Amino acid sequence: MTAKPLISMNRVFKNYETPSGSFAALRGIDLEVQEGEYVAVVGRSGSGKSTLINVLTGIDSPSSGEIHVASTAVHNLGEEELAKWRGKNVGVIFQFFQLLPTLTVAENVMLPMDFCNTFPPGERRPRAMALLEKMGIAEQADKLPSDLSGGQQQRAAIARALANDPPLLVADEPTGNLDSRTSEDVVRFFSSLVNEGKTVVMVTHERDMTRYFTRTVMLEDGAIVEETEAKAWS
Amino acid sequence: MELSPRWRKLAGDLRNARGRLSMMVLAMAVGMFGIAAILSAYTILTREIGRNYLGTNPASALIEVDQVTDELVDAVRHRPGIANAESGTSLWARVEVKPDEWMPLLLFVVKDFRAMKIGMVRPESGAYPPPEGSMLLERTGLPLVNGKFGDGIRVQTPNGPKRKIVISGLVHDPGLAPSWQEQTAYGYITLSTLALLGESGTLDTLKVTVSDPSPNVVAIERTVAGLAGWLRQQGYSVGEIRIPPPGKHPHETQMRAVLAMLILFSLMALVLSAVLTASTIGGMLAQQVRQIGIMKAIGARSSQIAGIYLALVVLMGGVAVVLGLPPGIAAGRGLARAIAELLNLTLYSEAVPGWVYLVQLIAGLLVPFLIALGPILRATRITVREAINDYGTSIRTFRSSRLDALLGKIRGMDRTLLLSIRNTFRRRGRLMLTLGLLSAAGAMFMTALNVRAAWERNLADAASDRRYDLEIRLNGPHPEEKVLAIVSSVPGVQKVESWDIDPAAANRHDGLEIARTYPDRGHGSFTLRSAPPGSRMIQLTMLGGRWLPPGDSDAVVLNHMALRIFPGVKVGDTIHISVQGRQTAFHVVGIAREIVTPAAAYTSPEGFHRALGRSGQTNAVRVVMKGHDEKTIGAVTREIERALERERISVKIDFSETRLDNALSGHIYILIFALILMSAIMAVVGVLGLASAMGTTVVERTREFGVMRAIGGRTGTVMRNVIGEGVFIGLMSWGIAIVLSLPLSAGVGRLVGTLAFYFPLPLVLSPAAMIIWLTVIFLGSTAASAYPASRASRLTVRETLAYT
Ligand SMILES: Nc1ncnc2c1ncn2[C@@H]1O[C@H](COP(=O)(O)OP(=O)(O)O)[C@@H](O)[C@H]1O
Ligand SMILES: [Mg+2]
C-alpha cells in the first residue's frame, strides 16, 4: 500500500480518572485505515471500542498520541473546531438516541447542513429527500422519529450522517438494537457506500457478517490484538 | 421561506414545553406589568407635580408686615434678589358644614384676582374673579362643606358675625393638600368681601419670589433676611416670615419616597421572574443533554446551540413585554390618577416618556437574557461524550444524607410525606428560588398589613396620649376664668383646662422669626403652649428628660416635631423661642413623642407669661366630656360654642378626635394598596414558579413514579406525593415570610412613619395577615402542584418507564 492513509492513529492512549484511580481504556493504539476501507472494530464489552471511536471522531480527546484524518490533526483541535470539522468530514452514527425528537425525519437530515452551512438553504430539503430515498424511507420524511421503527430510525440516522457528504463514516454499534435481518441490511448498505468511495469504521458484534468488511480490528483491554484482512472477495 | 431545522427545533421545544414556558412568560409578564405600572406612575407624577406646583409660581417667602400698600409692593419689587412681590393675607375662619357643625376654613384674601402672579390658583368652574359677597372654594372642599356650587353657606371670621356667602366658583390650588385630607376648607375672597364678613380689610402679608432661578433655602433666607432688614429700616414691623421648601410641593418628598420604594419592589419582582425563567430553561437544558450531544456530534458548535436557547429566552421575554407592558402602562396611569387625586394634582398629561418604554423593552429582553446566559453557556459547553455516555448522567448525585438520616429517625411518619420532604431538598437551587419568590411575596403582603396595623396603633396611641375630647381655639385671648366658667357650666362637660397657645419660631440672631411653613399654615408650623400644671389631658411618652416641673417658668418640653425646628437640641440645652416678636430663653427639660401634632414647645403658665407677657387670659381650652362617642361630642361641642357666643367670645376652630382620625387615614391607604398590589404580583410569580418547579420535578421523577406504580402505588399515592411536596414548600415559605416581614415591616414602618409623623411607626404584627397569607399559600401551592400531579398520575406505567 503506497497511498497515504485516510486515518492514522499513532500510539494513542486514553486514561479515565476514576475514584479508584486512573484507568487506561486505550493503551497505545496504532491504526491506519486507507480510503475506501470498511473496517469492523470488534471486542468484548469494555474492551475500549467506543473509546477508540470517540477519540477518532474527536468526541473525546486522547490522553496522548496523534490522530490524523486526511490532513487534519484531530488531536490538536479545540471543541468548537472539532464540531465544525466533524460536521463536514465525518458522519457519526450511534446505537441509541440519534434523532432529535421534536424534528421530523427530513429536518433531522437537514440539521447538519444547517449547522455547517454547507448547501444553499433551497437545496437542503431536496438533498435530504434524496438521501432518504436512497435509504428507502422517503415516505417517512415528514414523520417524527417516534413514529418510526428502530430500523427506520437507524436508516434516517445514516441519511443524516451523509448529509454533508463526508468521506468518512464512523458508527458505534449501529446494529446493536436491531434484529438480525435489519442489521444485515444496515451492514450491507454501508458496504454499498464503501463501493461509492466512502470509508467506514464501525463497531459491531455481528461476527457472521465479516464477509462484508475489508478488515476486522479486534480490541482487548484497550489494545489491538488481532487484525484480519478480509478475503479479497471484492 | 421555510424555517431552518434549528429554528424548527426551537418551535418544537416550545410546543413540547408550552405549559411550563407559558407559565414563565406569564410570570415575566406579571413582573413587567409591575415595573411598567410603577415606573410610568412615577414618571407621570414627578413631572406633573412639578408642573402643577411650579405652575402656581409659588412664593419663595411670605412675610408678615403691619400693612402692605401698593407702594411698598412696588418698592419691594426693586429690592436686590427679589423677582416679584404681591400683597395678600390669609385668616382662619370657619364654615358651617351641617347645621351648627363647623369646619376650619382658611380664607385667602386676594387683592386682584386678575393680576395674581404669585401662588396663583387656577379657575376650574364658575365665576372668576368672585363677585363681591361670594367666595371661590378650593375644589377638594366642595364635598366636605356639603355645598353646591352657587349655594349660600354660612361663614364666620374671627371678628365677624355668621354670614351667608355664596360659593361662586371653584379653583384648583395645587399647593394645598386636599381638603378632605386636612379636614379644612380653603376659600378665596376679595378685600371687599372680607369687609362684608366684618373684618378690617388690611393686607398684611408680603408674598415674594426671588430672582435666583434655582434657589435653596439658605439663599432664600439670606435674600429675605436682607429684605426684612430693609423693611424695618423703613419703619415696618416685621412679623413671621414663612419660607416653604423651594419648588417643592408639600407632599413631594413623601410621594417620591413611596414611589421609589415601590420601584424597588417591582424591580425585585421582575428580576425574580427572570431568574425563574432562567431556571426553567436550565431545567429544560438538563433534560436535553443528549440532544445537545447529538447536535454537537453532527457538527453544531456550542455557540450555535446556545443561540437556540438564548433565542428562546429572548422570545419569551419579548412576549412578556408585549403582554405586560400595555396593561402595566394603563395601570400606571390609573395609579398616577389615584395618587394625583390624593395630592390634589391635575394631570395635564398622562404621557409616559419614550425612555420608559425603551428601558422596559431592554429590561424585558436583556434581564432574562443575562440571567439565562450563564446556565445556557454552561449546558452547551458539555462535551459530546459527557452528553452521550451514560457516565454523564450519574455525575449528579443527591447529597442530603444528613437530612435523610434525620427524617428516617422520625418514627411513624407517613412514608409518602417523607418521600416528598426528601425530594424537596434534592434540588436546592430550584427550591431556593421558589422559596425566595414565595417568601418575598408573603413578606411583602404581611408588611403591607403590618404597616397598616402599625399606622392604626400609632393613631390609637396618639389618641390615648390626648385624653380630652375637644380642643377649642378662640379668636384672640379672653379672660381665662370667664372662659373656663362658661365652658364648665355646659351640661355634659366633665373637665375643662386652659391650654393657651401662640405661634412661635426659633430665634435668630437678627431677631427675625422664620418658619418653614407652607401657605396652608399647617405643614411645618410651630407653637408655644401653656400646659396646666398636673394636667392629665396629655400623657406623652418621654423620649428623654421629664415632663414640666410645676411652677418652673424656665422649663420647656419639646415634642419630637419641634426637634426639626431646633435640630440637634438635647435635654439640658437652652433654646431661644420667639413669640410675637419677643425672644425668651428656655431650658429644655424633656423631649416627648407626640404623634399627629405639629411642632410644639410646652411650658408652664408661668413660662408662657414670661414669653408673652400674658397671664390670666387664654385663647384655647381642652375639654373632657362625660360621654365620648361622636354624637355626644358633637352635641356638647355645639352647646359650648353657643354658650361662648352668648358671651361674645368667638370661636376660631375646634378639633375633635374623630376629625383628626379622618384627616390622617386618607394618607396611608394608597400606600397599603400599592404594597398589596406588589405582593399580589410577587405571589403570582411565586405560585407560577412553584407550579413550574413541580412540573419539572414531575418530569424528572417520571421513572420513579412509574416504579412506584409498578410496585403497587396507586394514583392517589403519586398525587399525594407531588402535592405534599408543593404544600410543604409553600408552608416553609410562609414561615420564612413571617421572619422576613419583621425587618421589612420595621423598615417600611420607619419610612412611612418618618414621612407622615416624623417618627417611625411601631413594629406591629398583624395576625390576620399571617392567617390570610397562610390560606393563600396553602391554596396556591395545592393548586400549583395539583396540575402536574394529576398529569403524573395519569401516565401509564409503560409510558413512565419508556420516558426518555
Ligand atoms: N467516562 C469514563 N470514565 C471512566 N471509565 C470509563 C469511561 N468511559 C469508559 N470507561 C471505561 O473504559 C473501558 C472501555 O469502555 P468502552 O470504550 O465504552 O468499551 P466498549 O465500547 O468496548 O464496551 C471500560 O472499562 C469502561 O468502564
Ligand atoms: Mg461501547
Side-chain angles (χ1 to χ4, degrees), chain A residues 14-19 21 23-26 42-54 60 172-173 203 205 219 222, chain B residues 385 389 391-392:
Chain A
K14 176 68 189 177
N15 298 322
Y16 287 118
E17 299 310 322
T18 67
F23 175 82
L26 294 181
V42 297
R44 252 193 280 277
S45 173
S47 56
K49 305 183 294 293
S50 295
T51 309
L52 178 72
I53 293 295
N54 288 349
D60 207 348
D172 190 353
E173 299 195 42
V203 174
H205 289 295
L219 284 186
Chain B
R385 184 182 60 77
N389 273 4
Y391 291 95

Side-chain angles (χ1 to χ4, degrees), chain B residues 550-760:
Chain B
D552 185 343
S553 67
D554 274 344
V556 280
V557 168
L558 298 177
N559 68 9
H560 72 268
M561 292 289 284
L563 287 181
R564 291 168 47 76
I565 292 171
F566 300 98
V569 161
K570 296 179 301 296
V571 172
D573 288 356
T574 297
I575 58 172
H576 296 266
I577 297 178
S578 133
V579 191
Q580 294 186 359
R582 297 166 54 134
Q583 295 147 39
T584 315
F586 281 103
H587 188 63
V588 179
V589 297
I591 292 168
R593 184 192 74 158
E594 189 174 29
I595 306 296
V596 308
T597 304
Y602 293 91
T603 182
S604 59
E606 293 82 2
F608 201 77
H609 171 70
R610 200 163 62 88
L612 272 92
R614 167 163 110 204
S615 75
Q617 288 196 307
T618 189
N619 63 7
V621 292
R622 287 176 172 176
V623 182
V624 177
M625 298 177 188
K626 288 179 179 140
H628 307 291
D629 56 295
E630 203 176 327
K631 229 169 150 183
T632 315
I633 294 174
V636 177
T637 304
R638 282 193 284 283
E639 280 310 311
I640 294 174
E641 292 197 5
R642 274 196 208 112
L644 287 169
E645 251 163 61
R646 278 195 295 273
E647 301 291 332
R648 307 201 172 286
I649 297 175
S650 104
V651 172
K652 183 151 88 179
I653 18 178
D654 56 60
F655 298 102
S656 72
E657 279 306 312
T658 45
R659 184 165 287 166
L660 265 177
D661 273 4
N662 286 342
L664 288 158
S665 304
H667 286 80
I668 179 119
Y669 287 107
I670 181 72
L671 172 68
I672 301 296
F673 170 76
L675 273 180
I676 290 180
L677 184 78
M678 294 314 303
S679 71
I681 288 174
M682 290 276 237
V684 170
V685 175
V687 167
L688 287 173
L690 182 59
S692 135
M694 296 314 298
T696 312
T697 303
V698 165
V699 169
E700 283 174 357
R701 295 177 65 202
T702 303
R703 268 172 205 277
E704 188 185 330
F705 290 141
V707 173
M708 265 167 72
R709 299 271 295 283
I711 60 172
R714 269 171 310 170
T715 313
T717 320
V718 173
M719 285 276 284
R720 244 190 317 146
N721 195 283
V722 176
I723 295 179
E725 183 180 342
V727 171
F728 180 69
I729 295 176
L731 293 183
M732 246 191 333
S733 84
W734 179 73
I736 298 173
I738 292 179
V739 176
L740 281 182
S741 77
L742 299 180
L744 199 58
S745 300
V748 175
R750 168 170 288 273
L751 173 69
V752 170
T754 312
L755 290 178
F757 306 118
Y758 298 97
F759 203 82

Side-chain angles (χ1 to χ4, degrees), chain A residues 16 59-60 79-80 83-84 86-87 92 94 97-98 100-103 107 110-112 114-116 125 160, chain B residues 4-6 8-9 12-13 16 290-291 294-304 383-385 388:
Chain A
Y16 287 118
I59 281 173
D60 207 348
E79 272 284 323
E80 296 290 274
K84 219 166 146 184
R86 201 162 42 228
V92 187
F94 304 99
F97 308 117
Q98 297 258 47
L100 299 196
T102 50
L103 292 184
E107 283 163 353
M110 286 153 71
L111 203 54
D114 182 16
F115 281 132
C116 299
R125 190 173 164 90
R160 188 180 62 192
Chain B
S4 68
R6 80 178 96 144
R8 296 296 295 239
K9 165 169 163 48
D13 287 346
N16 263 15
R290 281 180 191 282
Q291 294 196 36
I294 294 290
M295 287 190 278
K296 286 191 149 187
I298 62 171
R301 277 164 287 152
S302 304
S303 53
Q304 289 174 319
T383 66
V384 185
R385 184 182 60 77
I388 293 173

Side-chain angles (χ1 to χ4, degrees), chain B residues 259-556:
Chain B
L259 287 173
M261 179 180 78
L262 291 176
I263 286 182
L264 200 73
F265 283 162
S266 56
L267 211 63
M268 215 157 86
L270 180 67
V271 169
L272 284 174
S273 66
V275 171
L276 187 64
T277 306
S279 96
T280 305
I281 300 281
M284 212 166 115
L285 287 168
Q287 286 173 266
Q288 299 202 348
V289 177
R290 281 180 191 282
Q291 294 196 36
I292 294 172
I294 294 290
M295 287 190 278
K296 286 191 149 187
I298 62 171
R301 277 164 287 152
S302 304
S303 53
Q304 289 174 319
I305 301 173
I308 298 177
Y309 293 102
L310 285 174
L312 178 63
V313 174
V314 170
L315 189 69
M316 286 169 68
V319 174
V321 170
V322 169
L323 289 181
L325 196 57
I329 301 254
R333 292 193 168 126
L335 186 62
R337 250 172 267 145
I339 295 180
E341 172 133 10
L342 216 58
L343 299 179
N344 191 20
L345 303 177
T346 296
L347 300 183
Y348 294 106
S349 148
E350 289 183 359
V352 174
W355 67 263
V356 173
Y357 290 90
L358 198 68
V359 163
Q360 309 235 23
L361 194 67
I362 293 172
L365 299 179
L366 206 63
V367 171
F369 179 88
L370 289 179
I371 292 178
L373 191 62
I376 287 179
L377 287 185
R378 217 170 310 125
T380 52
R381 262 203 304 267
I382 189 172
T383 66
V384 185
R385 184 182 60 77
E386 282 167 339
I388 293 173
N389 273 4
D390 274 329
Y391 291 95
T393 50
S394 65
I395 289 168
R396 210 193 268 152
T397 50
F398 302 128
R399 283 166 299 160
S400 54
S401 45
R402 209 181 311 157
L403 181 86
D404 271 2
L406 195 77
L407 288 171
K409 283 196 199 117
I410 307 172
R411 239 181 265 169
M413 198 163 175
D414 180 6
R415 287 293 110 180
T416 338
L417 184 61
L418 189 68
L419 208 59
S420 315
I421 296 176
R422 186 186 296 164
N423 195 60
T424 307
F425 286 96
R426 281 189 181 168
R427 294 266 178 267
R428 291 234 179 101
R430 196 186 308 144
L431 174 68
M432 287 306 174
L433 179 65
T434 314
L435 268 183
L437 275 166
L438 289 175
S439 316
M444 224 181 257
F445 177 81
M446 289 190 231
T447 297
L449 295 194
N450 286 348
V451 168
R452 197 185 72 158
W455 178 277
E456 275 157 9
R457 162 84 57 85
N458 209 40
L459 289 183
D461 280 356
S464 69
D465 284 352
R466 296 186 300 267
R467 304 188 173 185
Y468 55 90
D469 298 302
L470 176 71
E471 171 169 340
I472 293 185
R473 302 224 183 132
L474 308 173
N475 283 309
H478 291 268
E480 187 178 280
E481 264 170 43
K482 185 179 165 194
V483 173
L484 293 180
I486 295 168
V487 175
S488 58
S489 68
V490 173
V493 171
Q494 191 170 56
K495 196 170 175 19
V496 55
E497 288 178 0
S498 155
W499 284 78
D500 212 358
I501 184 169
D502 226 276
N507 191 46
R508 290 166 49 97
H509 302 298
D510 51 14
L512 294 174
E513 282 177 46
I514 298 187
R516 294 273 170 270
T517 320
Y518 279 98
D520 69 3
R521 293 196 175 174
H523 286 92
S525 71
F526 173 53
T527 54
L528 180 68
R529 284 209 97 146
S530 143
S535 171
R536 305 195 61 83
M537 287 209 189
I538 57 172
Q539 305 229 314
L540 304 179
T541 306
M542 300 303 296
L543 301 173
R546 58 197 172 87
W547 188 244
L548 296 168
D552 185 343
S553 67
D554 274 344
V556 280

Side-chain angles (χ1 to χ4, degrees), chain A residues 116-136:
Chain A
C116 299
N117 207 10
T118 36
F119 293 87
E123 283 176 28
R124 288 176 192 169
R125 190 173 164 90
R127 175 167 171 80
M129 290 311 292
L131 288 168
L132 289 171
E133 183 79 43
K134 190 167 175 182
M135 298 306 302

